Amino acid sequence: MAPTPLRIVSYNVRYFGHALRGLASTLGPKRRVAAALAALDPLPDIVCLQEVETQSFRSNVAHRRTRPDETQLEAFMGRMEETFSNLRRPMPYEAFYFRAHHYKVGEFSLYTTGLAILVNTQRLAVDTHNVDSPHHITHHHVRALRERKQSRICAHMRLLRMEDGLPFHIFNTHLSLPTPFSRAFWATREKMGNGINQLHEARALAQLVRARANGEPFLVCGDFNSPPASPVFHFLCDEACFIDAQAAVGQIDPRLARGFPTAGFMHMRMHLDHIFSGGGVRWLDADETCPFGDVRSRFHGLSDHMPLIARFQLEPPAAHAEPPAPAGA
């Protein structure tokens, strides 16, 4: 019998502060996001989160901590424990936090940025990770602003499927917005995914994935701030040879930039989030992935992004070949 398929969620949770327009984190969104994740059937085996704080004024001003050193991820995992306890089910997730940037005014912590990965330890074992030193992929177009620009990182984990010990890799990232300090930014109407800094970060990401995966199956997910049909998307799919999960199962037409919005700001709708794969990952479905604004989704109104949810199967090593190196690698 073939091993049971695995399921992944990639979700920009906006610091669990969507109720206050991202200005501060509150308890309610943490509870509602936890409840929505726990209601997925089957449960996801990997949950990749973007825009997760460490601790700061923004993360604490509207949410009283249970202890002085409690981080935002710990507070969220407390809500996960609470949710599964109310459902009378064991809570299967172990959480890992990858810190990206810290904005301070003197000694005052204004806000922090980072990524998180939750692993279902009932089905997966953690082999290695880069929690202590996430890989930096930020491209600094203006060196004078190097210390002020938000750092962009890539979280990486090597996991083992418990059923057969087959290894695979998870990469979680959040690319920069397109830089305005470029002539190309003002020369095109479509900004997202067209930034020269975004292309530099995409190349750095592709090189990292190739080096760390080393021919083993991998998944790359996150907020890429780039729609389908953009230069960044084309580079990742055409040159780096990544496979887009939504395109693979027929949920999107990769030639259309606005066919399936994953994020929204005021009246704008954008497709910014993606899950890619390579090295022996076969996508099965994207069930319960809904476009931004779909009121039928249990995730509606919880963030300015919607989660991507997909099931996949890992192919035996002999069933696939290593993808070619991306240009410039």
Side-chain angles (χ1 to χ4, degrees), residues 108-217:
F108 181 74
S109 179
L110 186 60
Y111 71 93
T112 52
T113 63
L115 307 167
I117 301 178
L118 280 55
V119 178
N120 185 335
T121 55
Q122 294 179 351
R123 302 200 60 206
L124 301 170
V126 177
D127 180 38
T128 60
H129 59 71
N130 66 348
V131 165
D132 294 331
S133 56
H135 193 87
H136 284 263
I137 60 173
T138 319
H139 177 72
H140 297 282
H141 192 76
V142 180
R143 296 219 170 250
L145 301 178
R146 185 183 183 94
E147 298 304 318
R148 297 185 181 182
K149 176 171 170 46
Q150 187 175 128
S151 296
R152 301 297 176 172
I153 62 171
C154 182
H156 169 238
M157 303 188 81
R158 186 176 188 261
L159 302 173
L160 305 175
R161 185 170 60 185
M162 288 186 176
E163 285 182 71
D164 55 8
L166 188 65
F168 66 103
H169 298 256
I170 298 293
F171 298 88
N172 184 17
T173 194
H174 187 179
L175 298 192
S176 295
L177 291 166
T179 178
F181 301 104
S182 167
R183 185 178 301 174
F185 178 85
W186 304 104
T188 178
R189 178 181 177 185
E190 299 294 337
K191 311 298 186 186
M192 306 300 279
N194 282 269
I196 186 64
N197 61 318
Q198 294 181 299
L199 278 168
H200 279 292
E201 291 176 358
R203 291 190 183 101
L205 174 65
Q207 291 172 3
L208 170 68
V209 169
R210 181 174 175 81
R212 295 295 173 87
N214 195 27
E216 295 177 335

Side-chain angles (χ1 to χ4, degrees), residues 58-73:
R58 181 175 66 178
S59 67
N60 300 325
V61 65
H63 176 207
R64 183 176 297 176
R65 291 174 286 179
T66 59
R67 65 176 198 280
D69 62 343
E70 181 185 57
T71 65
Q72 186 174 81
L73 182 59

Side-chain angles (χ1 to χ4, degrees), residues 70 75 150 205 235 237 249 309:
E70 181 185 57
Q150 187 175 128
L205 174 65
F235 168 79
C237 293
V249 300
I309 307 164

